[in-house]
């Protein structure tokens, strides 16, 4: 894939995350696809890592916690 973001790295390294969350939605109706859309639409640059994901609402962090926790851990390793 030509996506250079932390989200793309997480999904490449653990494809089970996508398999588990791909059909999930938050109680407010935000889909996992919506959260990762920017990861695929904005390829980025290999030397400049962006996050590559958005949380459509607060409950995304709990509904998609496997994904967002992995991103937060990479972006803020000492958090």
């Amino acid at each position: 894939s030509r996506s250079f973001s932390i989200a793309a790295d997480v999904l490449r390294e653990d494809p089970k995350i996508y398999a588990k969350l791909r059909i999930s939605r938050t109680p407010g109706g935000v889909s996992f696809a919506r959260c990762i859309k920017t990861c695929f639409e904005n390829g980025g640059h290999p030397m400049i890592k962006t996050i590559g994901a958005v949380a459509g609402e607060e409950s995304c962090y709990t509904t998609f916690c496997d994904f967002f926790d992995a991103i937060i851990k990479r972006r803020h390793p000492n958090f």
Side-chain angles (χ1 to χ4, degrees):
S1 151
R2 303 252 337 138
S3 295
F4 302 102
S5 66
I6 295 173
D9 291 346
V10 166
L11 294 172
R12 266 194 296 273
E13 291 174 16
D14 191 353
K16 291 180 284 184
I17 291 175
Y18 178 78
K20 176 182 175 184
L21 300 176
R22 68 186 181 88
I23 60 171
S24 299
R25 287 185 176 271
T26 65
V30 177
S31 68
F32 184 61
R34 181 85 171 197
C35 293
I36 63 173
K37 185 177 180 187
T38 187
C39 172
F40 299 103
E41 288 186 347
N42 303 308
H45 188 277
M47 300 299 289
I48 304 168
K49 289 281 184 176
T50 60
I51 300 299
V54 295
E57 63 183 16
E58 182 181 352
S59 62
C60 289
Y61 291 106
T62 53
T63 303
F64 310 125
C65 66
D66 293 343
F67 176 68
F68 281 107
D69 287 353
I71 289 175
I72 291 167
K73 184 176 180 181
R74 284 173 178 257
R75 181 66 179 101
H76 303 286
N78 298 319
F79 181 69

